[in-house]
Amino acid sequence: MFKTIAAKAHETIVLADGTVPDPTRDAPAALTDKVDTVLGILAWAGTAAGVAGVLITGAMMAISMRRGEGSEHMGRLGMVLGGCVLVATAGPLITFVF
């Protein structure tokens, strides 16, 4: 038990001196290729959903302006554009972190 506590204390000291652990990647290549494919499809789907959301919101704004109604769609457009920014920056942000 004492050796376990000493080993944990040693790990804490090693991490406390500013070194960053660098784990090795040992996942099978076939699995990583499949995960990359799924993530790529999801990224394209998110981009397509963002474009569709902007188009639909723009069409709804045009119809409401023609009818003379208020412009309550600006909040919806802001949410759609915020989602587009989130989808567009998710991949590069994760790549930067890992």
Side-chain angles (χ1 to χ4, degrees):
M1 177 153 163
F2 181 71
K3 289 183 180 183
T4 307
I5 294 171
K8 290 292 182 186
H10 177 69
E11 288 176 12
T12 306
I13 292 170
V14 170
L15 293 177
D17 71 353
T19 59
V20 177
D22 188 21
T24 59
R25 297 177 185 233
D26 59 350
L31 178 64
T32 56
D33 290 341
K34 290 178 183 178
V35 170
D36 286 343
T37 301
V38 169
L39 290 176
I41 291 171
L42 289 175
W44 277 106
T47 302
V51 170
V54 170
L55 291 175
I56 291 169
T57 303
M60 291 176 73
M61 288 174 68
I63 291 170
S64 69
M65 286 296 202
R66 182 160 176 93
R67 291 182 183 171
E69 297 172 356
S71 61
E72 68 271 356
H73 301 290
M74 290 304 289
R76 184 177 298 160
L77 182 63
M79 288 191 298
V80 168
L81 293 177
C84 290
V85 168
L86 183 65
V87 167
T89 59
L93 185 66
I94 295 301
T95 303
F96 174 73
V97 170
F98 293 109

